[in-house]
């Protein structure tokens, strides 16, 4: 086919896409459009198909190109894809954000109970007599993920402040790779205690109350920066990253966006300053110095 004819066909196709609107077309009509890849760490709602469908639809509409939601088993896998620029953005944890702060830009941070903050909980079985974290000594303990702030770093920092290592304080520990899995492990007796995201735990009071009744909170941490959405600095000039930021901060004003927020039990997203995560950075330094 002559080059000028092929070029004209591509121009006509792009014009047709613009006129009809991307959302009105079957997925197969987007073959020439590079999808915007948005990563999700294995947090508690990442397997909720209703949420994923609403989130994909909302972001596709706002960004103006097809959106691919990228999931992996561990935080580390998503972080590696993000830092290397293999995906355009991701909803990550504050711990990997501060670890790779030089390579990442903040896009937006969720708002929960009026603030972009959350807590880490230490939990134990509901019927157990234990008043504070010291009573968990010798436990089999469930962590969420080695790159999770609330599901690992906070507890690791608490022990470091008291000159203790997890392997010395707990008889054994393991990673469940999901905050809901931490609660399940404690509720089932697979673990005697666990470190879990307080936001996840509180939402589970609504979504899985029977499971939550089998656990109790032993300790709440200080308030920390909520797990943020970030993008690689290498993609700072990509207009779709800015479109993502606008889509998130305006989510509460859109009917489809409101559905996403309702499913997440969040109030919205804010454009926040990196200093929001200074407390988590301080935790990382405490652990680093202790060894």
């Amino acid at each position: 086919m002559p080059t000028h004819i092929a070029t004209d066909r591509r121009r006509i196709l792009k014009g047709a896409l613009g006129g009809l609107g991307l959302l009105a077309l079957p997925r197969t009509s987007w073959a020439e459009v590079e999808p915007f890849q948005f990563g999700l760490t294995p947090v508690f709602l990442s397997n909720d198909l209703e949420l994923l469908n609403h989130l994909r639809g909302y972001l596709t509409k706002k960004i103006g190109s097809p959106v691919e939601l990228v999931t992996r088993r561990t935080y580390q896998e998503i972080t590696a894809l993000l830092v290397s620029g293999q995906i355009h953005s991701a909803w990550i944890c504050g711990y990997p954000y501060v670890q790779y702060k030089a390579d990442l830009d903040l896009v937006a941070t969720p708002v929960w109970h009026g603030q972009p903050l959350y807590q880490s909980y230490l939990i134990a079985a509901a019927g157990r007599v234990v008043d504070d974290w010291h009573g968990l000594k010798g436990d089999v303990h469930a962590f969420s993920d080695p790159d999770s702030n609330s599901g690992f770093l906070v507890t690791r920092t608490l022990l470091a402040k008291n000159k203790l290592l997890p392997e010395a304080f707990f008889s054994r520990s393991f990673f469940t790779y999901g905050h809901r899995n931490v609660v399940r492990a404690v509720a089932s007796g697979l673990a005697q205690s666990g470190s879990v995201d307080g936001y996840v735990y509180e939402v589970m009071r609504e979504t899985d109350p029977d499971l939550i009744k089998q656990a109790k909170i032993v300790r709440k941490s200080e308030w920390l920066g909520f797990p943020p959405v970030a993008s690689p600095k290498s993609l700072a000039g990509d207009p779709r990253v800015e479109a993502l930021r606008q889509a998130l901060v305006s989510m509460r004003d859109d009917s489809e966006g409101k559905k996403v927020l309702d499913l997440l039990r969040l109030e919205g997203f804010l454009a926040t300053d990196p200093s929001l995560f200074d407390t988590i950075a301080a935790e990382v330094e405490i652990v680093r110095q202790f060894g």
Side-chain angles (χ1 to χ4, degrees):
M1 180 184 297
T3 303
H4 72 278
I5 294 176
T7 301
D8 287 345
R9 288 185 62 180
R10 286 194 294 270
R11 186 181 299 115
I12 291 168
L13 176 59
K14 290 180 180 178
L17 287 172
L20 291 174
L22 287 174
L23 284 175
L25 293 172
R27 187 179 298 274
T28 53
S29 299
W30 298 7
E32 294 189 6
V33 182
E34 181 194 6
F36 184 91
Q37 295 179 305
F38 186 75
L40 296 170
T41 50
V43 291
F44 94 111
L45 282 175
S46 63
N47 61 345
D48 188 314
L49 293 179
E50 182 184 7
L51 167 64
L52 296 180
N53 286 335
H54 282 300
L55 177 61
R56 184 187 295 108
Y58 174 74
L59 294 181
T60 295
K61 177 178 68 174
K62 292 295 185 179
I63 293 174
S65 67
V67 170
E68 177 187 349
L69 299 180
V70 179
T71 60
R72 294 290 187 272
R73 180 172 178 264
T74 67
Y75 285 45
Q76 185 181 40
E77 291 170 286
I78 288 294
T79 303
L81 291 173
L82 183 65
V83 172
S84 64
Q86 295 182 68
I87 58 177
H88 298 87
S89 189
W91 193 347
I92 60 173
C93 182
Y95 184 13
Y97 169 69
V98 300
Q99 287 179 298
Y100 296 98
K101 189 175 177 180
D103 302 304
L104 297 174
D105 285 328
L106 273 182
V107 176
T109 306
V111 177
W112 184 51
H113 294 326
Q115 298 290 335
L117 304 171
Y118 80 133
Q119 293 171 293
S120 169
Y121 291 176
L122 278 172
I123 62 171
R128 186 172 171 189
V129 179
V130 55
D131 297 324
D132 64 20
W133 68 270
H134 295 89
L136 306 181
K137 183 175 175 59
D139 280 6
V140 174
H141 190 84
F143 290 115
S144 173
D145 187 286
D147 283 344
S148 171
N149 175 57
S150 58
F152 180 65
L153 179 64
V154 170
T155 300
R156 179 73 178 80
T157 304
L158 173 66
L159 295 176
K161 287 179 177 178
N162 289 273
K163 309 300 181 186
L164 295 167
L165 290 168
E167 54 267 32
F169 185 75
F170 300 118
S171 64
R172 185 169 69 87
S173 65
F174 61 93
F175 293 102
T176 68
Y177 297 99
H179 290 288
R180 274 194 297 195
N181 293 337
V182 171
V183 180
R184 291 188 184 112
V186 173
S188 68
L190 184 63
Q192 295 166 290
S193 56
S195 299
V196 68
D197 183 313
Y199 153 72
V200 173
Y201 191 90
E202 295 302 334
V203 173
M204 286 180 69
R205 289 188 193 275
E206 299 178 43
T207 62
D208 207 343
D210 291 338
L211 186 63
I212 288 296
K213 287 177 183 177
Q214 299 176 62
K216 70 174 185 177
I217 301 167
V218 175
R219 178 185 183 269
K220 296 182 179 183
S221 74
E222 69 273 44
W223 291 96
L224 302 158
F226 204 102
V229 175
S231 64
K233 285 188 181 294
S234 61
L235 297 181
D238 192 322
R240 292 184 298 175
V241 173
E242 180 56 33
L244 172 66
R245 178 181 288 106
Q246 293 305 317
L248 294 174
V249 299
S250 63
M251 186 176 277
R252 71 183 78 189
D253 302 319
D254 181 278
S255 58
E256 184 72 3
K258 188 68 167 60
K259 290 177 184 177
V260 175
L261 291 174
D262 288 345
L263 288 168
L264 288 169
R265 274 69 172 184
L266 294 173
E267 294 153 36
F269 286 80
L270 289 175
T272 53
D273 189 85
S275 62
L276 179 68
F277 300 92
D278 285 353
T279 304
I280 297 176
E283 291 179 343
V284 173
E285 182 60 20
I286 289 170
V287 170
R288 187 194 67 79
Q289 290 187 6
F290 183 63

